[in-house]
Amino acid sequence: MFAPVKTDAVRTIACLHSSGASGRQWNMLREYVGERFDVLTPNLIGYGRDLFGQGSPLSIRQEVDAVVAQIDAAGGKAHLVGHSYGGAIATHLALWHPERVASLTIYEPVMFSMLYADNAASAEVQEVERVADSIIYQLDSVYGRYQGARDFINYWSGGDAWHGMEGRQHARFASLMPKIAAEFRALADVGTFARSLADIRVPVRLFSGSATRNSTRRIVELFSEAAPRVEAHVLEGLGHMGPVTHPFRVNPLVVDHIVENSFVEAAAA
């Protein structure tokens, strides 16, 4: 008969950002943590100084491998935190490299392949495809990239968020459309089903906002039903961009989960 016992504390947190952001998304979480943990905030492929060319190949496996290399350099095991695209990468890392994960804390992971597997003709899939098509099929012109960026921002941030941004922000997001188009393709093609989440053995805290999109609301439902150790929280009034718009509400809840699970479980007789 085996029972879990506590072993060495894991002091590394790896925070994975959303599409269109960068590792700097987590600067306020780093400040909140202080010296309690070592916080990694890597730029995912195509962000920061890492340019991503139109038509370049991309897979979720590539993203995961790049993060694993950073975790290995920091000691080989980490608490994973992820938002949106970063949440999907964190979830796949937990599935494919469980020995490197102490806990998983995610806000609305965009696991689009789960939506397709659930119901490829659903309204949730159709709304995601409208945004993806606007980006993917307008990459060949500067004007088209701006249009795709506008639709991307307005979908995830709500209303006419694009109109409230500065011109330099418009230009930055337009320049990121080739990478974001590749992300939509990679997320749809990875082939992860909801039932795969039964293999996640670490404790999971899963966040969503009450004012989010139907697509991510359904993904969170599927995730909550399938993962064995998931603790789901709906944050009232928040949208998909909650970790960015309301870090003072989200970050303490993220760190609380990590503190509660800062010691690794190991099997002992």
Side-chain angles (χ1 to χ4, degrees), residues 53-69:
Q54 183 173 341
S56 297
L58 179 74
S59 69
I60 300 303
R61 184 76 65 175
Q62 286 174 273
E63 298 274 22
V64 167
D65 289 348
V67 176
V68 165

Side-chain angles (χ1 to χ4, degrees), residues 103-211:
S103 70
L104 181 62
T105 312
I106 45 179
Y107 191 105
E108 298 193 5
V110 286
M111 309 279 286
F112 293 144
S113 64
M114 285 169 37
L115 282 182
Y116 281 93
D118 179 52
N119 182 356
S122 69
E124 293 85 359
V125 167
Q126 290 175 24
E127 69 179 50
V128 169
E129 288 186 338
R130 280 195 293 272
V131 179
D133 288 350
S134 176
I135 296 168
I136 292 168
Y137 296 113
Q138 297 192 88
L139 290 176
D140 291 335
S141 72
V142 172
Y143 175 79
R145 291 188 185 191
Y146 272 80
Q147 293 296 105
R150 179 203 62 190
D151 293 343
F152 173 79
I153 293 296
N154 287 346
Y155 179 71
W156 290 121
S157 295
D160 189 11
W162 177 258
H163 183 73
M165 296 170 63
E166 298 178 356
R168 60 185 178 84
Q169 293 174 299
H170 289 171
R172 177 181 176 274
F173 277 103
S175 73
L176 291 172
M177 287 302 104
K179 173 63 195 320
I180 291 174
E183 291 171 2
F184 273 97
R185 292 190 184 101
L187 288 165
D189 292 345
V190 69
T192 302
F193 303 111
R195 63 177 179 269
S196 305
L197 303 180
D199 293 332
I200 298 178
R201 297 302 172 185
V202 297
V204 181
R205 182 168 285 185
L206 174 63
F207 294 106
S208 62
S210 67

